[in-house]
Amino acid sequence: MALGFSDMMSKPVNVSELGEYLAHYLGDELATSSDDVAQTTGTLRFLVVEDDADTRNLLKLLLNSLQVNVVTADCAQTCWQHFAGSEHFDTILLDIGLPDKSGLTLAREIKAQDPNQHIVIASGFDPEPEKLAESQVDDVLLKPITLVDLKEVKEKLV
């Protein structure tokens, strides 16, 4: 195809169709089907906080393919409920632009509760260095986030 594309999907993304595409293009790296992504046998746990459902589901599928257990949230309030509960997360992946609060503000609040919590900000643009320093995030991923990006985050934790 032109421009190096092999296939195209339009929004809203059909999750089962996305799972089929990922299985086809990732081959053996995608260890679970789109129906089985809720739990994997991995030992790492990520909390993915992303308000866009398609992006959130894609990140979950990609992380599950890396044998990472994933819990998702669509806003800061839901993130905080998971974080403040008894659940432990090796990494919290925060979208910078959440509907109810900035991801950077949420990161700062989480770090105030647990300075050792690993936090990655996901953004479509380079955040200002001063704001990143204030929020004490550990890493930044620029969208679109790839499987390679997620592998690098995982490798830093093991």
Side-chain angles (χ1 to χ4, degrees):
M1 278 189 149
L3 302 176
F5 292 101
S6 298
D7 276 305
M8 263 177 47
M9 294 183 72
S10 60
K11 284 188 172 184
V13 173
N14 177 306
V15 175
S16 62
E17 184 181 0
L18 175 61
E20 291 173 19
Y21 278 123
L22 289 172
H24 175 75
Y25 288 104
L26 297 177
D28 292 335
E29 291 188 57
L30 189 61
T32 59
S33 74
S34 59
D35 295 331
D36 298 328
V37 295
Q39 288 295 322
T40 67
T41 58
T43 57
L44 291 179
R45 286 177 47 88
F46 281 29
L47 174 58
V48 173
V49 187
E50 168 62 60
D51 59 312
D52 181 78
D54 293 333
T55 302
R56 187 172 59 246
N57 290 333
L58 177 60
L59 288 170
K60 184 173 184 174
L61 284 168
L62 291 172
L63 285 165
N64 283 160
S65 78
L66 297 172
Q67 301 302 306
V68 173
N69 289 317
V70 178
V71 174
T72 61
D74 62 356
C75 64
Q77 180 181 3
T78 305
C79 169
W80 194 258
Q81 289 170 348
H82 286 293
F83 175 75
S86 60
E87 298 179 79
H88 164 77
F89 299 100
D90 297 290
T91 292
I92 300 177
L93 177 61
L94 295 174
D95 181 22
I96 199 168
L98 296 169
D100 53 346
K101 186 177 289 191
S102 160
L104 293 172
T105 301
L106 182 57
R108 188 170 51 249
E109 292 171 354
I110 290 170
K111 286 287 194 173
Q113 285 291 122
D114 182 358
N116 296 318
Q117 177 63 61
H118 189 262
I119 297 177
V120 177
I121 285 287
S123 177
F125 58 90
D126 269 325
E128 296 176 36
E130 305 82 36
K131 290 187 178 184
L132 284 175
E134 288 174 12
S135 63
Q136 303 173 33
V137 298
D138 298 288
D139 210 348
V140 176
L141 295 178
L142 293 179
K143 293 180 180 178
I145 298 171
T146 66
L147 185 62
V148 172
D149 294 331
L150 296 172
K151 277 184 183 178
E152 289 175 1
V153 170
K154 180 184 174 184
E155 288 170 1
K156 289 178 183 178
L157 298 170
V158 290

